[in-house]
Amino acid sequence: MSEERPEKRVSFTIRKVAEDELDQVIEINEHSLPEHYWYGFYKYILDEWGDVFLVAEVNNKIVGYIMNRIEETSDKVLMGLENELENQTKPHEGGPLDRLRRIFDVERATVGHVVSIAVLEGYRRMGIGSALLREAIGLMLNHYDVNSIYLEVRVSNNPAIRLYEKFGFVKARIIRGYYRDGEDAYVMVKRIKPITSGGQA
Ligand code: ACO
Ligand code: ZN
């Protein structure tokens, strides 16, 4: 079993995006993903959660980004307390998460949402996506005290799914026809810490 693995390595830095760099982020998005957004959406994410909107830079060139939002939710799948895909194959009652949920009866939690991550094609498989995700996870935890982080990903997007699994994200739901071309999405969720009612640790 052999796999194409470029040997090249570059040195890069991860930092917060600046407003006048949004056009470069948009360009990377348009080259990398079928899901595009208008400028105002990037600006909104920047204005609200600019401390967790990051770019990767190589020789003064932006080659990757990750943008995130912070949400309040009562959706137990997004909180990492339920897994709809595991429920299909496992008995429903009695798991440790079920017990925890019954004990604490969690209503709402603060969660991180990875809206979009991409690295320019010529710079992939060098650890840049991992570095963006690692930094964003740490910042979302430190700045917003998130209980979990979730994202949607095309069911066919194996590179991204493998990246997320490396960081402890688990497939927890399928959304049928989520994408405009009809493809399904996995919702993948990473539990950060136990959730207790009232928000006390
Ligand atoms: N095939 C298999 N596994 C892969 C691949 C690939 N082509 N690319 C990355 N991975 C997995 C591997 O496990 C890899 O670890 P390894 O290299 O030690 O084996 C791990 O991901 C980390 O790889 P990185 O080099 O850190 O990731 P990279 O910088 O290449 O970025 C990304 C990954 C962002 C998914 C990139 O491939 C990309 O931009 N793809 C197009 C855009 C995209 O699909 N974005 C995600 C959409 S979903 C969302 O935004 C929420
Ligand atoms: Zn999303």
Side-chain angles (χ1 to χ4, degrees), residues 113-115 150-152 178:
H113 177 178
V114 179
V115 175
Y150 81 96
L151 53 84
E152 300 92 7
Y178 180 77

Side-chain angles (χ1 to χ4, degrees), residues 3-5 9 12 28-29 31-35 37 63-67 113-121 123-132 134 150-154 157-164 166-167 179:
E3 212 180 322
E4 288 292 316
R5 292 297 309 277
R9 284 281 175 268
F12 57 86
I28 295 169
N29 168 270
H31 281 99
S32 306
L33 282 165
E35 286 67 53
Y37 317 95
V63 300
Y65 70 87
I66 184 167
M67 56 195 243
H113 177 178
V114 179
V115 175
S116 185
I117 177 174
V119 173
L120 269 183
E121 203 167 346
Y123 296 87
R124 289 183 195 159
R125 221 65 200 271
M126 298 173 179
I128 295 176
S130 298
L132 286 165
R134 184 180 305 113
Y150 81 96
L151 53 84
E152 300 92 7
V153 59
R154 287 177 179 268
N157 193 346
N158 288 316
I161 291 169
R162 282 174 66 170
L163 167 67
Y164 303 141
K166 271 196 164 170
F167 278 82
Y179 295 98

Side-chain angles (χ1 to χ4, degrees), residues 52-114:
V52 291
F53 190 157
L54 307 177
V55 290
E57 190 177 47
V58 174
N59 297 327
N60 297 318
K61 180 186 174 183
I62 292 177
V63 300
Y65 70 87
I66 184 167
M67 56 195 243
N68 308 283
R69 52 195 286 172
I70 306 299
E71 301 168 359
E72 294 289 317
T73 186
S74 54
D75 184 332
K76 291 186 168 52
V77 169
L78 304 186
M79 291 182 204
L81 296 176
E82 285 182 2
N83 187 320
E84 294 176 356
L85 302 180
E86 280 178 6
N87 284 348
Q88 290 170 8
T89 52
K90 288 184 182 171
H92 188 73
E93 291 294 310
L97 290 184
D98 279 328
R99 257 175 278 138
L100 191 72
R101 197 172 65 240
R102 279 196 295 272
I103 291 165
F104 291 111
D105 191 24
V106 178
E107 295 298 338
R108 295 183 71 75
T110 304
V111 303
H113 177 178
V114 179

